[in-house]
Every structure is written in structure tokens, then in C-alpha cells.
């Protein structure tokens, strides 16, 4: 079985969009599970 941390992927994609557009969906990011936190901190 493959394991994919979907929350991390969401954070990475949102940060990539932020770098390109300057837009960040803070409300959505705040709803992600705690396994997304390390990616947000980096």
C-alpha cells in the first residue's frame, strides 16, 4: 500500500501558488490535520 501525506501535498501546492500569485488560502490551511504543521513551519 502506498502512503501519501495528502495534507503535506496540499500545503506544498498552496505555498507554490502563493509564490506565484501572492494569494494564500489561510482559512483552508487552518483546517488541515496536524501532520501538515511541519510543512507550514518550514
Amino acid at each position: 500500500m502506498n502512503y501519501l501525506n495528502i495534507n503535506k501535498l496540499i500545503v506544498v501546492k498552496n505555498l507554490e501558488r502563493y509564490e506565484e500569485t501572492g494569494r494564500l488560502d489561510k482559512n483552508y490551511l487552518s483546517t488541515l490535520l496536524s501532520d501538515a504543521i511541519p510543512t507550514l513551519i518550514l
Side-chain angles (χ1 to χ4, degrees), residues 13-25:
K13 293 298 181 184
N14 269 277
L15 292 176
E16 287 173 359
R17 183 180 66 200
Y18 175 73
E19 289 177 1
E20 293 175 11
T21 67
R23 294 175 37 221
L24 185 65
D25 189 351

Side-chain angles (χ1 to χ4, degrees), residues 2-18:
N2 292 335
Y3 173 76
L4 174 65
N5 184 338
I6 192 69
N7 289 316
K8 180 179 179 178
L9 180 62
I10 291 169
V11 170
V12 168
K13 293 298 181 184
N14 269 277
L15 292 176
E16 287 173 359
R17 183 180 66 200
Y18 175 73

Side-chain angles (χ1 to χ4, degrees), residues 21-37:
T21 67
R23 294 175 37 221
L24 185 65
D25 189 351
K26 296 177 209 171
N27 292 328
Y28 182 70
L29 290 176
S30 70
T31 66
L32 297 176
L33 298 175
S34 61
D35 58 346
I37 293 172

